[in-house]
């Protein structure tokens, strides 16, 4: 088995979560669907899921990765995934009974909050498998924290900052997200757009 | 057609009224102040803290952001769903 497989699986996990979050951005700006508070909470939980894998990557900066650090990272991912699964399940149950059309338009046949539950379940399975095979995935062999690792962590940081700016634009100076969002409050607060 | 994400508020107008109250400093609105921006800041701090050597410097903001996310979720999910389990 590749001596650095656990290290590279962590990269893969972070990139996949970033792609999912960028996909949510494409729906938000491409289809003009403003995320609701529960959607934002699910995005946060996804970021916290990826934080575990990012922890594994960043712990390898010293050139070595230990099983306790590897396990700590995936433990963080599991905690965040359970939290996110609870949030997405709540939103699924809110809209599960017909004729409720659901919140927003479906993507590939499922609503975004249903896809979010799929993501959290996959994170749980992935973390469980990584922990099961930690002994094989993490070895004493040196790992290289190079430009690929820096790029992945940089991408993850950029996604977090983008979400931060997006939420701030959505909440404006009121620090309150509406349950039924219809616009970006910051631009109305600043007078860029007219409220009437 | 889109519907509300959470059914606690009947329409956007009530949100505006609630916002106005928040600006005026209404005490009733404290529990409903959005933590979203703060939580994302905490998540960003967690990522930055991972560059440090101490584990608690990572665990502290991580658990703070996780617990804040759960608390904010509980605020949004304050009403029980009329479902049979």
């Amino acid at each position: 088995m590749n001596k650095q497989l656990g290290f590279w699986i962590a990269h893969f996990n972070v990139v996949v979560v970033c792609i999912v979050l960028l996909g949510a951005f494409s729906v938000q700006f491409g289809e003009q669907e403003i995320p609701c508070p529960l959607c934002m909470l699910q995005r946060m939980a996804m970021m916290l899921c990826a934080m575990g894998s990012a922890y594994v990557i960043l712990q390898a900066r010293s050139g070595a990765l230990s099983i306790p650090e590897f396990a700590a990272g995936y433990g963080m991912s599991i905690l965040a995934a359970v939290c996110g699964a609870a949030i997405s399940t709540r939103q699924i149950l809110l809209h599960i009974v017909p004729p409720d059309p659901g919140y927003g338009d479906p993507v590939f046949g499922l609503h975004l909050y249903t896809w979010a539950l799929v993501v959290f379940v996959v994170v749980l399975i992935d973390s469980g498998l990584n922990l099961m095979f930690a002994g094989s995935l993490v070895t004493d062999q040196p790992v290289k924290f190079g430009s690929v690792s820096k790029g992945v962590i940089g991408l993850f940081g950029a996604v977090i900052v983008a979400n931060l700016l997006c939420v701030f634009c959505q909440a404006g100076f009121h620090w309150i997200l509406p349950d039924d969002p219809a616009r970006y409050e910051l631009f109305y607060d600043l007078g860029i757009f007219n409220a009437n | 057609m889109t519907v509300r994400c959470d059914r606690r508020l009947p329409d956007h107008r009530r949100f505006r009224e609630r916002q106005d109250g928040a600006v005026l400093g209404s005490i009733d609105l404290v529990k409903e102040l959005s933590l979203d921006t703060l939580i994302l800041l905490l998540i960003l701090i967690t990522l930055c803290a991972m560059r440090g050597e101490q584990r608690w410097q990572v665990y502290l903001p991580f658990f703070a952001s996780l617990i804040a996310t759960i608390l904010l979720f509980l605020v949004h999910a304050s009403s029980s769903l009329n479902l049979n389990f």
Side-chain angles (χ1 to χ4, degrees):
Chain A
M1 188 175 284
N2 188 330
K3 299 300 182 188
Q4 299 182 356
L5 190 58
F7 181 62
W8 292 113
I9 287 174
H11 287 72
F12 177 76
N13 294 341
V14 174
V15 169
V16 167
V17 171
C18 287
I19 290 171
V20 170
L21 289 168
L22 290 172
F25 267 131
S26 71
V27 172
Q28 178 178 346
F29 295 111
E31 300 184 17
Q32 300 296 317
E33 283 189 13
I34 301 178
C36 65
L38 291 182
C39 305
M40 288 310 307
L41 288 172
Q42 287 161 53
R43 288 189 192 184
M44 291 169 196
M46 281 184 201
M47 285 177 236
L48 290 171
C49 286
M51 199 64 74
S53 297
Y55 180 77
V56 171
I57 296 170
L58 284 166
Q59 289 305 304
R61 280 177 306 143
S62 60
L65 186 62
S66 67
I67 288 182
E69 289 162 347
F70 191 77
Y74 284 105
M76 291 162 70
S77 293
I78 288 173
L79 290 176
V82 169
C83 170
I87 298 167
S88 53
T89 302
R90 158 83 185 189
Q91 196 170 7
I92 289 170
L93 292 177
L94 265 175
H95 303 295
I96 199 168
V97 181
D100 190 319
Y103 186 83
D105 294 324
V107 177
F108 300 123
L110 296 177
H111 289 279
L112 289 182
Y113 42 85
T114 310
W115 280 119
L117 181 60
V118 171
V119 169
F120 292 126
V121 170
V122 169
V123 168
L124 285 172
I125 294 169
D126 173 66
S127 302
L129 289 172
N130 272 292
L131 290 174
M132 276 179 71
F133 298 104
S136 302
L137 295 171
V138 181
T139 64
D140 294 334
Q141 298 292 321
V143 291
K144 185 185 177 189
F145 184 86
S147 55
V148 175
S149 304
K150 288 176 184 170
V152 169
I153 295 298
L155 172 68
F156 183 42
V159 167
I160 295 173
V161 170
N163 274 283
L164 178 63
L165 293 174
C166 182
V167 164
F168 183 58
C169 289
Q170 205 176 326
F173 292 116
H174 305 283
W175 298 86
I176 296 171
L177 277 178
D179 289 334
D180 185 15
R183 62 191 193 185
Y184 294 94
E185 295 295 330
L186 179 66
F187 302 116
Y188 293 89
D189 294 339
L190 293 175
I192 297 172
F193 296 145
N194 194 340
N196 298 314
Chain B
M1 179 183 174
T2 57
V3 295
R4 288 187 304 276
C5 164
D6 192 292
R7 293 175 177 161
R8 280 189 310 113
L9 295 178
D11 53 28
H12 194 74
R13 190 169 53 81
R14 261 189 71 184
F15 162 66
R16 295 295 307 175
E17 292 169 356
R18 195 173 56 158
Q19 276 191 320
D20 295 340
V23 172
L24 293 172
S26 170
I27 296 171
D28 295 338
L29 297 170
V30 170
K31 74 181 175 105
E32 291 188 296
L33 286 179
S34 173
L35 290 170
D36 294 74
T37 310
L38 290 174
I39 293 170
L40 282 163
L41 272 173
L42 273 172
I43 292 172
L44 193 60
I45 289 169
T46 308
L47 185 65
C48 294
M50 285 179 180
R51 299 183 67 84
E53 298 295 325
Q54 300 294 324
R55 259 193 196 186
W56 67 267
Q57 290 176 348
V58 178
Y59 289 171
L60 191 65
F62 175 80
F63 280 111
S65 49
L66 188 64
I67 290 169
T69 303
I70 293 168
L71 290 176
L72 187 57
F73 167 58
L74 292 178
V75 168
H76 284 297
S78 56
S79 59
S80 61
L81 299 177
N82 190 20
L83 298 171
N84 294 322
F85 288 99

mmCIF file of all heavy atoms in Angstrom, chain B residues 10-36:
data_model
loop_
_atom_site.group_PDB
_atom_site.id
_atom_site.type_symbol
_atom_site.label_atom_id
_atom_site.label_comp_id
_atom_site.label_asym_id
_atom_site.label_seq_id
_atom_site.Cartn_x
_atom_site.Cartn_y
_atom_site.Cartn_z
ATOM 1 N N PRO B 10 -43.862 34.121 9.439
ATOM 2 C CA PRO B 10 -44.825 34.014 8.357
ATOM 3 C C PRO B 10 -44.386 34.678 7.067
ATOM 4 O O PRO B 10 -44.726 34.216 5.998
ATOM 5 C CB PRO B 10 -46.060 34.696 8.925
ATOM 6 C CG PRO B 10 -45.545 35.637 9.958
ATOM 7 C CD PRO B 10 -44.334 34.970 10.532
ATOM 8 N N ASP B 11 -43.663 35.742 7.105
ATOM 9 C CA ASP B 11 -43.281 36.406 5.857
ATOM 10 C C ASP B 11 -42.054 37.286 6.070
ATOM 11 O O ASP B 11 -41.539 37.424 7.173
ATOM 12 C CB ASP B 11 -44.437 37.260 5.299
ATOM 13 C CG ASP B 11 -44.950 38.226 6.337
ATOM 14 O OD1 ASP B 11 -44.170 38.627 7.212
ATOM 15 O OD2 ASP B 11 -46.137 38.565 6.298
ATOM 16 N N HIS B 12 -41.607 37.851 4.972
ATOM 17 C CA HIS B 12 -40.398 38.662 5.021
ATOM 18 C C HIS B 12 -40.628 39.965 5.789
ATOM 19 O O HIS B 12 -39.702 40.526 6.357
ATOM 20 C CB HIS B 12 -39.942 38.965 3.598
ATOM 21 C CG HIS B 12 -38.547 39.488 3.527
ATOM 22 N ND1 HIS B 12 -37.454 38.674 3.713
ATOM 23 C CD2 HIS B 12 -38.075 40.740 3.334
ATOM 24 C CE1 HIS B 12 -36.357 39.405 3.615
ATOM 25 N NE2 HIS B 12 -36.696 40.649 3.381
ATOM 26 N N ARG B 13 -41.867 40.417 5.792
ATOM 27 C CA ARG B 13 -42.164 41.691 6.465
ATOM 28 C C ARG B 13 -41.865 41.603 7.962
ATOM 29 O O ARG B 13 -41.343 42.517 8.567
ATOM 30 C CB ARG B 13 -43.631 42.053 6.242
ATOM 31 C CG ARG B 13 -44.010 43.464 6.693
ATOM 32 C CD ARG B 13 -45.390 43.821 6.183
ATOM 33 N NE ARG B 13 -46.375 42.818 6.537
ATOM 34 C CZ ARG B 13 -46.959 42.747 7.737
ATOM 35 N NH1 ARG B 13 -46.640 43.601 8.673
ATOM 36 N NH2 ARG B 13 -47.849 41.821 7.989
ATOM 37 N N ARG B 14 -42.214 40.446 8.551
ATOM 38 C CA ARG B 14 -41.924 40.297 9.983
ATOM 39 C C ARG B 14 -40.431 40.334 10.251
ATOM 40 O O ARG B 14 -39.984 40.785 11.283
ATOM 41 C CB ARG B 14 -42.521 38.980 10.499
ATOM 42 C CG ARG B 14 -43.837 39.216 11.188
ATOM 43 C CD ARG B 14 -44.301 37.966 11.882
ATOM 44 N NE ARG B 14 -43.500 37.646 13.069
ATOM 45 C CZ ARG B 14 -43.698 36.552 13.776
ATOM 46 N NH1 ARG B 14 -44.619 35.689 13.423
ATOM 47 N NH2 ARG B 14 -42.956 36.306 14.841
ATOM 48 N N PHE B 15 -39.688 39.804 9.294
ATOM 49 C CA PHE B 15 -38.231 39.860 9.439
ATOM 50 C C PHE B 15 -37.752 41.297 9.473
ATOM 51 O O PHE B 15 -36.913 41.667 10.281
ATOM 52 C CB PHE B 15 -37.576 39.113 8.277
ATOM 53 C CG PHE B 15 -36.126 39.453 8.081
ATOM 54 C CD1 PHE B 15 -35.191 39.117 9.046
ATOM 55 C CD2 PHE B 15 -35.703 40.117 6.945
ATOM 56 C CE1 PHE B 15 -33.850 39.432 8.874
ATOM 57 C CE2 PHE B 15 -34.376 40.432 6.768
ATOM 58 C CZ PHE B 15 -33.451 40.103 7.738
ATOM 59 N N ARG B 16 -38.329 42.132 8.595
ATOM 60 C CA ARG B 16 -37.949 43.538 8.566
ATOM 61 C C ARG B 16 -38.285 44.193 9.903
ATOM 62 O O ARG B 16 -37.504 44.962 10.450
ATOM 63 C CB ARG B 16 -38.663 44.274 7.433
ATOM 64 C CG ARG B 16 -38.281 43.812 6.046
ATOM 65 C CD ARG B 16 -36.848 44.103 5.744
ATOM 66 N NE ARG B 16 -36.511 45.497 5.962
ATOM 67 C CZ ARG B 16 -35.282 45.987 5.856
ATOM 68 N NH1 ARG B 16 -34.281 45.175 5.560
ATOM 69 N NH2 ARG B 16 -35.043 47.252 6.047
ATOM 70 N N GLU B 17 -39.460 43.868 10.417
ATOM 71 C CA GLU B 17 -39.847 44.444 11.714
ATOM 72 C C GLU B 17 -38.893 43.998 12.811
ATOM 73 O O GLU B 17 -38.507 44.764 13.674
ATOM 74 C CB GLU B 17 -41.278 44.011 12.060
ATOM 75 C CG GLU B 17 -42.327 44.630 11.144
ATOM 76 C CD GLU B 17 -43.678 43.989 11.328
ATOM 77 O OE1 GLU B 17 -43.778 43.031 12.112
ATOM 78 O OE2 GLU B 17 -44.632 44.452 10.670
ATOM 79 N N ARG B 18 -38.496 42.723 12.735
ATOM 80 C CA ARG B 18 -37.577 42.183 13.735
ATOM 81 C C ARG B 18 -36.228 42.869 13.598
ATOM 82 O O ARG B 18 -35.570 43.179 14.575
ATOM 83 C CB ARG B 18 -37.446 40.676 13.505
ATOM 84 C CG ARG B 18 -36.830 39.937 14.652
ATOM 85 C CD ARG B 18 -36.892 38.477 14.418
ATOM 86 N NE ARG B 18 -36.264 38.101 13.163
ATOM 87 C CZ ARG B 18 -35.810 36.883 12.927
ATOM 88 N NH1 ARG B 18 -35.893 35.954 13.845
ATOM 89 N NH2 ARG B 18 -35.265 36.584 11.769
ATOM 90 N N GLN B 19 -35.813 43.102 12.350
ATOM 91 C CA GLN B 19 -34.552 43.799 12.131
ATOM 92 C C GLN B 19 -34.592 45.186 12.742
ATOM 93 O O GLN B 19 -33.657 45.618 13.400
ATOM 94 C CB GLN B 19 -34.290 43.936 10.630
ATOM 95 C CG GLN B 19 -33.642 42.735 10.015
ATOM 96 C CD GLN B 19 -33.183 43.041 8.624
ATOM 97 O OE1 GLN B 19 -33.864 43.727 7.867
ATOM 98 N NE2 GLN B 19 -32.032 42.552 8.284
ATOM 99 N N ASP B 20 -35.706 45.897 12.513
ATOM 100 C CA ASP B 20 -35.824 47.243 13.062
ATOM 101 C C ASP B 20 -35.709 47.201 14.580
ATOM 102 O O ASP B 20 -35.077 48.044 15.196
ATOM 103 C CB ASP B 20 -37.161 47.856 12.649
ATOM 104 C CG ASP B 20 -37.215 48.054 11.136
ATOM 105 O OD1 ASP B 20 -36.137 48.089 10.517
ATOM 106 O OD2 ASP B 20 -38.325 48.148 10.592
ATOM 107 N N GLY B 21 -36.335 46.179 15.172
ATOM 108 C CA GLY B 21 -36.245 46.027 16.617
ATOM 109 C C GLY B 21 -34.825 45.773 17.068
ATOM 110 O O GLY B 21 -34.374 46.290 18.084
ATOM 111 N N ALA B 22 -34.102 44.997 16.280
ATOM 112 C CA ALA B 22 -32.715 44.688 16.630
ATOM 113 C C ALA B 22 -31.857 45.943 16.592
ATOM 114 O O ALA B 22 -30.994 46.152 17.442
ATOM 115 C CB ALA B 22 -32.159 43.645 15.667
ATOM 116 N N VAL B 23 -32.103 46.785 15.606
ATOM 117 C CA VAL B 23 -31.348 48.026 15.505
ATOM 118 C C VAL B 23 -31.629 48.917 16.711
ATOM 119 O O VAL B 23 -30.748 49.580 17.245
ATOM 120 C CB VAL B 23 -31.712 48.767 14.194
ATOM 121 C CG1 VAL B 23 -31.081 50.136 14.166
ATOM 122 C CG2 VAL B 23 -31.246 47.952 13.004
ATOM 123 N N LEU B 24 -32.868 48.880 17.180
ATOM 124 C CA LEU B 24 -33.225 49.691 18.340
ATOM 125 C C LEU B 24 -32.743 49.064 19.645
ATOM 126 O O LEU B 24 -32.911 49.634 20.710
ATOM 127 C CB LEU B 24 -34.750 49.861 18.392
ATOM 128 C CG LEU B 24 -35.338 50.695 17.246
ATOM 129 C CD1 LEU B 24 -36.858 50.641 17.279
ATOM 130 C CD2 LEU B 24 -34.859 52.131 17.324
ATOM 131 N N GLY B 25 -32.200 47.868 19.584
ATOM 132 C CA GLY B 25 -31.641 47.245 20.779
ATOM 133 C C GLY B 25 -32.640 46.492 21.609
ATOM 134 O O GLY B 25 -32.518 46.411 22.828
ATOM 135 N N SER B 26 -33.655 45.922 20.990
ATOM 136 C CA SER B 26 -34.655 45.172 21.738
ATOM 137 C C SER B 26 -34.019 43.946 22.394
ATOM 138 O O SER B 26 -33.337 43.170 21.751
ATOM 139 C CB SER B 26 -35.771 44.729 20.792
ATOM 140 O OG SER B 26 -36.614 43.820 21.442
ATOM 141 N N ILE B 27 -34.274 43.750 23.686
ATOM 142 C CA ILE B 27 -33.682 42.633 24.429
ATOM 143 C C ILE B 27 -34.244 41.311 23.930
ATOM 144 O O ILE B 27 -33.565 40.298 23.895
ATOM 145 C CB ILE B 27 -33.956 42.811 25.933
ATOM 146 C CG1 ILE B 27 -33.264 44.068 26.426
ATOM 147 C CG2 ILE B 27 -33.464 41.608 26.724
ATOM 148 C CD1 ILE B 27 -33.643 44.460 27.827
ATOM 149 N N ASP B 28 -35.532 41.296 23.513
ATOM 150 C CA ASP B 28 -36.159 40.056 23.060
ATOM 151 C C ASP B 28 -35.445 39.441 21.868
ATOM 152 O O ASP B 28 -35.582 38.259 21.593
ATOM 153 C CB ASP B 28 -37.618 40.334 22.663
ATOM 154 C CG ASP B 28 -38.419 40.750 23.866
ATOM 155 O OD1 ASP B 28 -37.987 40.429 24.985
ATOM 156 O OD2 ASP B 28 -39.451 41.407 23.688
ATOM 157 N N LEU B 29 -34.714 40.250 21.142
ATOM 158 C CA LEU B 29 -34.117 39.759 19.907
ATOM 159 C C LEU B 29 -32.715 39.215 20.098
ATOM 160 O O LEU B 29 -32.124 38.700 19.164
ATOM 161 C CB LEU B 29 -34.087 40.878 18.866
ATOM 162 C CG LEU B 29 -35.475 41.368 18.465
ATOM 163 C CD1 LEU B 29 -35.360 42.618 17.646
ATOM 164 C CD2 LEU B 29 -36.209 40.296 17.695
ATOM 165 N N VAL B 30 -32.209 39.297 21.322
ATOM 166 C CA VAL B 30 -30.823 38.890 21.544
ATOM 167 C C VAL B 30 -30.615 37.442 21.135
ATOM 168 O O VAL B 30 -29.653 37.084 20.479
ATOM 169 C CB VAL B 30 -30.433 39.104 23.018
ATOM 170 C CG1 VAL B 30 -29.101 38.462 23.314
ATOM 171 C CG2 VAL B 30 -30.388 40.581 23.318
ATOM 172 N N LYS B 31 -31.566 36.567 21.513
ATOM 173 C CA LYS B 31 -31.386 35.140 21.227
ATOM 174 C C LYS B 31 -31.493 34.841 19.739
ATOM 175 O O LYS B 31 -31.138 33.765 19.297
ATOM 176 C CB LYS B 31 -32.387 34.309 22.006
ATOM 177 C CG LYS B 31 -33.805 34.366 21.489
ATOM 178 C CD LYS B 31 -34.695 33.524 22.348
ATOM 179 C CE LYS B 31 -36.138 33.673 21.905
ATOM 180 N NZ LYS B 31 -36.653 32.587 21.192
ATOM 181 N N GLU B 32 -32.034 35.785 18.987
ATOM 182 C CA GLU B 32 -32.202 35.532 17.566
ATOM 183 C C GLU B 32 -31.150 36.246 16.717
ATOM 184 O O GLU B 32 -31.240 36.234 15.508
ATOM 185 C CB GLU B 32 -33.599 35.961 17.131
ATOM 186 C CG GLU B 32 -34.675 35.062 17.711
ATOM 187 C CD GLU B 32 -36.023 35.368 17.132
ATOM 188 O OE1 GLU B 32 -36.497 36.476 17.360
ATOM 189 O OE2 GLU B 32 -36.578 34.504 16.452
ATOM 190 N N LEU B 33 -30.202 36.886 17.372
ATOM 191 C CA LEU B 33 -29.132 37.512 16.602
ATOM 192 C C LEU B 33 -28.370 36.427 15.845
ATOM 193 O O LEU B 33 -28.028 35.402 16.403
ATOM 194 C CB LEU B 33 -28.177 38.263 17.521
ATOM 195 C CG LEU B 33 -28.686 39.579 18.098
ATOM 196 C CD1 LEU B 33 -27.652 40.188 18.993
ATOM 197 C CD2 LEU B 33 -29.071 40.553 17.010
ATOM 198 N N SER B 34 -28.122 36.676 14.584
ATOM 199 C CA SER B 34 -27.463 35.667 13.759
ATOM 200 C C SER B 34 -26.010 35.503 14.165
ATOM 201 O O SER B 34 -25.263 36.467 14.272
ATOM 202 C CB SER B 34 -27.537 36.079 12.300
ATOM 203 O OG SER B 34 -26.778 35.192 11.538
ATOM 204 N N LEU B 35 -25.646 34.262 14.351
ATOM 205 C CA LEU B 35 -24.250 33.958 14.673
ATOM 206 C C LEU B 35 -23.484 33.508 13.436
ATOM 207 O O LEU B 35 -22.318 33.148 13.533
ATOM 208 C CB LEU B 35 -24.202 32.855 15.734
ATOM 209 C CG LEU B 35 -24.664 33.243 17.136
ATOM 210 C CD1 LEU B 35 -24.782 32.001 17.997
ATOM 211 C CD2 LEU B 35 -23.700 34.212 17.764
ATOM 212 N N ASP B 36 -24.155 33.515 12.299
ATOM 213 C CA ASP B 36 -23.545 32.944 11.088
ATOM 214 C C ASP B 36 -22.176 33.530 10.770
ATOM 215 O O ASP B 36 -21.217 32.798 10.518
ATOM 216 C CB ASP B 36 -24.481 33.150 9.889
ATOM 217 C CG ASP B 36 -25.762 32.377 10.040
ATOM 218 O OD1 ASP B 36 -26.602 32.801 10.850
ATOM 219 O OD2 ASP B 36 -25.928 31.351 9.393
#
